[in-house]
Amino acid sequence: MSSDLPIHVIGRPGGATPLGPDPSRSAVLVRRVRLLVAFTIAYNVIEAVVAIAAGTIAGSAALLGFGLDSVIEVSSALAVAWQFAGRDPEAREKVALRIIAFSFFGLAAFVTFDAVTSLIAGHAADHSGLGIGIAALSLLVMPAASWVQRRTGNELGSHSAVADSKQTLLCTYMSAALLVGLLANSAWGWWWADSVAALVIAALAVGEGINAWRGEVCCSPAGALAGHESCDDGCACC
């Protein structure tokens, strides 16, 4: 992220007075945001590998959907990185957003089909200790990461850092839905809970896809690293 981040100002006779942090503090906060962004991307990669592997072994639609969503989050970051790698990022913006949107719609369609067919067939996913573990870990890690991102972004005056914290928070909702479904299936034998959790994840993915299609997607990790600061305060992707 570039160091010339937007700082809120107030008017005074003779000019405006910056309300943001001093330059030395800004440099510390910028480095913190970069580390948080890099951590989020790396964690999503690991989360995707673990969740997809566990979902394949257990036959869990919810775990597969959760893992595929992590893949798409990383893919969307790469799409935005491609956008800003060109000389005219605005010319590539529509294509990047369409790629992101179709990715989420594809995820939703796949997970919905898998979940519905499992419900119709009465298929019960096997117990997955690994899946429960990654869901529980994400439920602990993502809210903390989101809180630090939001607090840092607010102090820095960076809309993109705050918006990205909301995107990170979305992982919390998905983790909660996944964990409830896996535990209900394992502890009480509610075989349908896994499919219901998968449908919740699919619904959240549709919401993300619609926001991307409309151009209302939150700043991605790649956007934050590239210094893109066009996200609005009211970014409501989450």
Side-chain angles (χ1 to χ4, degrees):
M1 181 178 291
S2 59
S3 58
D4 54 338
L5 293 161
I7 302 298
H8 301 295
V9 297
I10 56 174
R12 280 188 178 180
T17 302
L19 291 180
D22 58 62
S24 61
R25 178 60 177 168
S26 292
V28 172
L29 294 173
V30 168
R31 285 195 296 271
R32 184 183 299 172
V33 169
R34 287 182 180 274
L35 288 173
L36 286 167
V37 166
F39 167 79
T40 301
I41 293 175
Y43 185 86
N44 272 327
V45 171
I46 296 172
E47 184 180 70
V49 172
V50 174
I52 291 175
T56 301
I57 294 171
S60 168
L63 267 172
L64 283 174
F66 185 72
L68 290 173
D69 181 78
S70 297
V71 171
I72 291 175
E73 292 294 345
V74 176
S75 298
S76 69
L78 294 176
V80 177
W82 166 79
Q83 175 191 346
F84 285 93
R87 293 184 178 181
D88 185 7
E90 291 186 5
R92 292 184 171 188
E93 182 176 34
K94 185 174 182 179
V95 175
L97 289 173
R98 291 295 185 265
I99 292 173
I100 296 170
F102 279 120
S103 296
F104 280 116
F105 292 148
L107 163 66
F110 171 81
V111 174
T112 299
F113 175 80
D114 196 15
V116 171
T117 53
S118 294
L119 285 172
I120 293 174
H123 169 72
D126 295 332
H127 168 76
S128 176
L130 185 59
I132 291 174
I134 191 64
L137 180 61
S138 296
L139 197 55
L140 293 174
V141 171
M142 290 297 103
S146 176
W147 180 81
V148 175
Q149 283 177 312
R150 184 172 64 254
R151 183 174 180 177
T152 302
N154 283 329
E155 184 178 354
L156 194 57
S158 169
H159 295 331
S160 67
V162 174
D164 190 43
S165 74
K166 297 178 182 179
Q167 185 69 25
T168 302
L169 190 61
L170 178 64
C171 294
T172 304
Y173 305 147
M174 289 193 172
S175 300
L178 174 64
L179 186 59
V180 169
L182 293 177
L183 288 176
N185 180 42
S186 295
W188 299 297
W190 294 357
W191 61 270
W192 46 265
D194 180 81
S195 295
V196 171
L199 292 175
V200 171
I201 292 173
L204 291 171
V206 168
E208 287 192 80
I210 291 174
N211 285 329
W213 187 271
R214 293 175 177 173
E216 298 172 355
V217 65
C218 286
C219 287
S220 72
L225 285 172
H228 179 44
E229 296 294 336
S230 64
C231 292
D232 297 327
D233 281 329
C235 181
C237 64
C238 306

